[in-house]
Amino acid sequence: MKNLFTFTSLLFALALATTACTKKTDTTSQSSDEILVGEFGSLTGSEATFGQMTNKGIALAVEEINSAGGVNGKKIRVITLDNQGKSEESVSAVTKLITQNKVVAVLGEVASSRSLAAAPIAQQYKVPMISPSSTNPKVTEVGDYIFRVCFIDPFQGTVMAKFAHENLKAKKVAILTDVKSDYSVGLAKFFKETYTKLGGTIVSEQSYSSGDIDFKGQLTNIKTAKADAIFIPGYYTEVGLIARQARQIGIKADLMGGDGWDSSKLSEIGGEAVNGGYFSNHYTSESKEPVVVGFVEKFKKKFGETPDGLAAMGYDAALVLGEALKKAPDLSPQAIRDAVAQTKDFQGVTGKITINGERNAVKPAVVVKVDGTVNRFVTTVNP
Ligand code: PHE
């Protein structure tokens, strides 16, 4: 009996040890055959399509990397946390990914304010973070562990300022800025700088806060100022409502914006009112480039929908990280960081990606025109 008891307890102890071991290999990368990568994004909330589409792009890229043999034999596993589109939740998500899940790198976020909230955590723990699509310059200024694979807003602002001046021939522009968003404030400023340098006049500067639903006051001021075009560097939920209310009060001016307009929900919210609006973006699914055609096909097959710019950026961010993981001599944060920093001429779906000394990518932008749920390609602008 005593022996049996000892034997049972031994088995029990063994079982415990094995569980502990499994747990351990499950959450740390080095000792397992998996490499854990963290992702944080707005899977819910008023920018949910940003997080969801980025997530799909990342999933497709990781699936491709893994089925082609993974990273030197190890499979990448992505742990995704929803921040509900909130900055505070971004801080806790990234803290958890790094301290509990022990991820080797973090992918995220889309919205600059949320990348800015989380970047100091990644920097503090020295875990490389790659934002797929945050364009505000301050994001990568947080520190040497913070990267992005997209262009930045001084460029995006110039693209739309030139477009307003040269293509739309707008002489008077009004700007409607979301003061709660680092992205919106920055892009408004960069647009204004170039547009006024080109000789255009800003006739009205109005503001709102993310989450607002009534923009009639600001729009009435803009109407009085007789703007030829209105620049709205916001996110799709508010932009859709703004466009609707602008048309309701009889504003006929051209509506323009930046990448924050990119969502299948824009036309759902804005209806007819957003049609004919122009915005700058990272990619167009209408491109005939073989890499884009191939990507759109694979994405449609897997998810049954056309990938937007967010999906393309998520895909590219994950591929850039995958390449860096393959090239890094080991999986230490320093080695991964250095490998990401050395990214050069990587052919992504959104263009050739070279990470510069400021840890940003320098790439062309496209301008598209809203036509229902389709964003028609208008022009490409090189840096
Ligand atoms: N560039 C935006 C930001 O920095 C995010 C965004 C990217 C939104 C691409 C839509 C498409 O906040």
Side-chain angles (χ1 to χ4, degrees), residues 50 110-112 133-136 183 235 259-260 262 281-282 310:
F50 288 174
V110 169
S112 289
S133 42
S134 285
T135 45
N136 187 279
Y183 157 75
Y235 294 149
D259 52 355
D262 191 14
N281 208 356
H282 304 268
L310 287 310

Side-chain angles (χ1 to χ4, degrees), residues 41-63:
S42 55
L43 298 174
T44 55
S46 63
E47 283 108 50
T49 68
F50 288 174
Q52 292 165 358
M53 290 304 270
T54 303
N55 178 257
K56 289 176 183 172
I58 291 173
L60 179 61
V62 168
E63 185 181 284

